[in-house]
Amino acid sequence: MDLTSSTDAQLLHRYARNGNEFAFTELVQRHLGLIYRVALRKSGNNRVLAEDPAQQVFILLARKAETLSVHQTIIGWLHQTALPSTAFRAYSPVG
């Protein structure tokens, strides 16, 4: 099944209802770049420190998949979640 033509909502619905890991992987591949860049900025361009907070956003997405699957796109939610994330603040450079 080609998931690349599916909408975010369809992919999230497949993951939430059926546990379809391929659908969730497609979502992560689709949006990881943006979220990682946000984490990178928040961490002072520290690549190592940016990885964990970016992963946390997708962990939260997995937990909220069922409620978020009603939205056509999740990019707004992902970006909004990434910006004020306490996980990002915890990784901010000292000084």
Side-chain angles (χ1 to χ4, degrees), residues 42 49 52-57 81-82 84-92:
K42 291 287 189 176
L49 294 181
D52 285 345
Q55 289 176 5
Q56 291 300 317
V57 170
T81 301
S85 173
T86 55
F88 290 125
R89 287 190 208 121
Y91 287 95
S92 293

Side-chain angles (χ1 to χ4, degrees), residues 43-92:
S43 68
N45 290 320
N46 185 317
R47 292 176 187 224
V48 173
L49 294 181
E51 290 174 4
D52 285 345
Q55 289 176 5
Q56 291 300 317
V57 170
F58 289 101
I59 290 170
L60 187 57
L61 175 64
R63 289 182 183 151
K64 294 183 175 250
E66 190 167 344
T67 58
L68 292 171
S69 65
V70 298
H71 302 286
Q72 278 300 9
T73 182
I74 58 165
I75 192 66
W77 180 89
L78 288 169
H79 193 260
Q80 187 176 7
T81 301
L83 282 174
S85 173
T86 55
F88 290 125
R89 287 190 208 121
Y91 287 95
S92 293

Side-chain angles (χ1 to χ4, degrees), residues 4 7 12 27 32 36-37 42 52 57 60 65 69 76 82 86 90:
T4 59
T7 67
L12 208 49
L27 282 170
L32 181 60
Y36 180 71
R37 286 188 299 274
K42 291 287 189 176
D52 285 345
V57 170
L60 187 57
S69 65
T86 55

